[in-house]
Amino acid sequence: MWYAIIATDHPDSLAARTAARPAHLARLQALHEQGRILLAGPFPAVDAEDPGPAGFSGSLIVAEFVDLDAARAWAEADPYRGAGVYRQVEVKPLRKVLP
């Protein structure tokens, strides 16, 4: 089943996000190689593709897991969580309709 992982960043966490980004992306790449990722990306803190020093306000990941507990465990082990980037992480089941 698909799960939406919706994360909200701590204020002023751009430096921590930048430092933890390679490890974060490696985990996403592993899901992608397994065919288990639908989409992933950050929320710019301002209305711009590249928010510059404004940074990001959070992230959205939609990925496939065996169950909600597995999705939550994966989200809690995210390097951004350990680096103090994410203030809050919510995981919800998602029923994909389109495309």
Side-chain angles (χ1 to χ4, degrees), residues 18-69:
T18 301
R21 188 170 192 261
H24 171 78
L25 290 179
R27 294 178 83 234
L28 291 174
Q29 185 62 36
L31 285 181
H32 176 68
E33 289 169 2
Q34 297 167 17
R36 295 173 45 207
I37 196 145
L38 185 62
L39 66 92
F43 299 121
V46 295
D47 188 12
E49 182 74 21
D50 179 358
F56 300 91
S57 64
S59 301
L60 172 65
I61 299 165
V62 179
E64 187 175 37
F65 294 94
V66 296
D67 58 26
L68 183 58
D69 287 338

